Amino acid sequence: MRIGVLGAGATGLAAARDLVLAGHDVTVLEGSGQIGGLAASLKIGGTWVERFYHHLFGTDHDAIELIEAVGLGGRLEFHPASTGIYIDGHLHDFSTPLDMLRFPPLPLRSRLRFGAASAILKATPRWQRLENVGALDWTQRWSGAPATDVVWRPLLEGKFGQHARDISMAWLWARVHYRTFRLGYLRGGFALFYEALLDDVRRRGGDVRLDAPVSRITARAGGASSRFGGVTVEAGGQLWRFDRVLATLPEPVFARAAGLPAEAVSRRTYLGATCLILELNRSLIPFYWLNINDPAFPFLAVVEHTRMVPPADYDGRHVVYVGNYTPVDDARYTADPTVLLDGYLPYLQRLDPDLRRDDIVAWHISRAPYAQPIVTAGYRNTLPAHETSLPGVLLATMSQVYPQDRGQNYAIAMGRRVAKMLVA
């Protein structure tokens, strides 16, 4: 069959590779000039680094398997997770169970209760009975009020804002259940992985077109079985005819292109992601990942990438992400990066009083409007099916990764699964 794949992120490229391996005629249409989707990259000191922080867990078997399949397994390195929490003006190590049991902002009884509740989540194999339970309600009951107020509530409110009270416990379960105490990173950047996938698709006869944003998708009755172009896609000023199409576009983008009412495709709200990437001439924090549990701060997390990968890979620069999830009309999403940096700097100096403006050698801004669906109780009941109302068109998009919530591993797994559905 002649198959179109819309989007060259993890989902689209993983699906395209399986489809060309199965002997189909595949064309991938990517709207931007880069592959990788939310794992798209830029170069610092000649080395790729992701526009939004990325790593793998030891449980990310689908991603690890595909990295090995394209010949990059030797570049995948696992490192001890280094995590901290900033609260009440202090940095606290929160990397291991022992660190959590020593966590000074909580009394010993609350630390033990927090640890026991976390162990329950790690040991609970099924999430279904948690999906209609509020995350904060569950943590209040099982972790206790002190741990909820010190650890969980600031994290949920920092990420979801006014929606924090509505977040499903199934989402939080996945964030705890699948995490490991070692983090994986592809030395040289995950861009090498996406380039290898792209090369593999092309080498096997597939076609990948960049700068081809999709503006319209139409399908005629019987298109699902047509050998003569039952689905028409207008992208990059050209018309493409396919027997079947796999769309990996965000739901609102797909709805507009398909001429469908937005509510026919999606009934959820999204937050945008914004990452200010700093190139520093010195280290900022003693951790890879620092959760900001102070509601006065204008950002959610600080990730010092070069606490996991050596600065030498980036010409000696220390690479630091300052990350946020906000509505797309929020000033932190729309602001000029220089204005954003000036606003963030006093708070970064609270993390490290020795930081000076001239320690910041360069900076970059990355934004994504549909980065975080708000996963409320009953979320599964609002999910669109992969089969759409357009004959021969299937949808595989981030919001359908549930309850795991994004991540390269789950995008790859979904892409490969839906590719099989497409040609069944």
Side-chain angles (χ1 to χ4, degrees):
M1 285 187 286
R2 187 154 192 258
I3 296 174
V5 176
L6 311 183
T11 304
L13 287 175
R17 182 176 183 270
D18 280 4
L19 290 165
V20 295
L21 282 169
H24 298 286
D25 179 359
V26 177
T27 299
V28 181
L29 301 173
E30 166 58 44
S32 72
Q34 273 195 301
I35 58 174
L38 284 174
S41 302
L42 54 85
K43 281 190 173 180
I44 295 178
T47 301
W48 289 112
V49 65
E50 294 69 41
R51 290 186 171 275
F52 301 93
Y53 38 83
H54 280 80
H55 54 250
L56 297 177
F57 296 109
T59 52
D60 287 345
H61 304 300
D62 292 276
I64 294 168
E65 176 187 311
L66 192 53
I67 287 170
E68 291 174 347
V70 296
L72 293 175
R75 283 185 169 270
L76 183 59
E77 302 173 346
F78 277 82
H79 312 267
S82 172
T83 304
I85 289 181
Y86 176 84
I87 189 170
D88 295 333
H90 298 283
L91 299 171
H92 300 281
D93 201 335
F94 211 69
S95 301
T96 68
L98 185 58
D99 294 326
M100 297 170 193
L101 288 174
R102 292 170 172 168
F103 187 55
L106 289 176
L108 178 59
R109 179 184 178 88
S110 294
R111 288 177 240 159
L112 292 170
R113 190 171 174 183
F114 171 85
S118 300
I120 288 171
L121 293 176
K122 293 290 287 184
T124 300
R126 296 179 60 81
W127 49 269
Q128 285 80 355
R129 62 181 180 177
L130 298 174
E131 64 180 331
N132 292 317
V133 178
L136 288 175
D137 292 333
W138 191 95
T139 62
Q140 185 87 11
R141 178 180 179 183
W142 294 98
S143 297
T148 296
D149 292 339
V150 170
V151 179
W152 294 122
R153 191 187 309 278
L155 292 177
L156 286 165
E157 290 180 348
K159 183 159 191 169
F160 293 105
Q162 64 182 359
H163 304 284
R165 170 54 65 183
D166 303 319
I167 299 304
S168 167
M169 188 58 205
W171 178 87
L172 189 57
W173 168 88
R175 307 297 283 182
V176 175
H177 184 77
Y178 291 105
R179 295 205 168 200
T180 57
F181 291 106
R182 293 180 67 81
L183 304 179
Y185 189 74
L186 197 69
R187 195 73 176 266
F190 284 109
L192 299 179
F193 170 51
Y194 293 103
E195 287 177 347
L197 278 176
L198 174 71
D199 291 344
D200 204 19
V201 169
R202 284 177 168 166
R203 185 171 59 251
R204 299 175 188 278
D207 187 12
V208 181
R209 302 293 182 97
L210 305 182
D211 295 311
V214 174
S215 54
R216 186 165 57 92
I217 307 169
T218 57
R220 58 184 174 82
S225 58
S226 172
R227 307 278 305 173
F228 306 100
V231 184
T232 301
V233 175
E234 184 175 337
Q238 289 184 254
L239 284 179
W240 306 80
R241 300 189 185 279
F242 302 108
D243 296 312
R244 296 187 183 179
V245 162
L246 172 58
T248 70
L249 312 172
E251 292 168 286
V253 176
F254 173 75
R256 287 194 296 270
L260 299 172
E263 60 273 14
V265 178
S266 174
R267 287 181 284 161
R268 78 200 84 265
T269 302
Y270 286 85
L271 295 175
T274 176
C275 259
L276 193 63
I277 307 170
L278 307 179
E279 298 181 37
L280 302 178
N281 59 21
R282 60 191 300 279
S283 177
L284 176 67
I285 55 175
F287 310 107
Y288 165 68
W289 186 290
L290 181 66
N291 287 314
I292 304 298
N293 284 34
D294 185 333
F297 272 58
F299 45 82
L300 170 68
V302 177
V303 179
E304 185 159 334
H305 178 71
T306 41
R307 283 287 176 179
M308 181 167 62
V309 183
D313 285 10
Y314 307 97
D315 199 24
R317 302 283 174 84
H318 297 259
V319 180
V320 176
Y321 296 92
V322 186
N324 252 331
Y325 291 94
T326 67
V328 295
D329 59 355
D330 190 285
R332 291 168 294 175
Y333 188 90
T334 60
D336 178 274
T338 304
V339 173
L340 196 64
L341 176 59
D342 290 341
Y344 283 177
L345 185 58
Y347 295 92
L348 294 172
Q349 289 170 330
R350 288 168 66 176
L351 304 179
D352 179 1
D354 294 329
L355 178 70
R356 298 292 176 263
R357 181 66 167 75
D358 56 10
D359 290 325
I360 304 172
V361 179
W363 60 93
H364 317 269
I365 190 74
S366 296
R367 300 183 178 98
Y370 304 110
Q372 176 63 64
I374 297 174
V375 185
T376 58
Y379 180 90
R380 183 167 50 147
N381 298 327
T382 72
L383 285 178
H386 291 301
E387 296 274 0
T388 74
S389 61
L390 299 184
V393 179
L394 269 65
L395 179 67
T397 187
M398 182 182 63
S399 65
Q400 293 164 305
V401 176
Y402 172 75
Q404 286 82 8
D405 184 50
R406 305 192 331 277
Q408 296 176 96
N409 182 69
Y410 306 112
I412 289 166
M414 179 173 62
R416 303 188 72 182
R417 183 179 71 252
V418 180
K420 291 178 182 178
M421 294 172 56
L422 191 72
V423 296

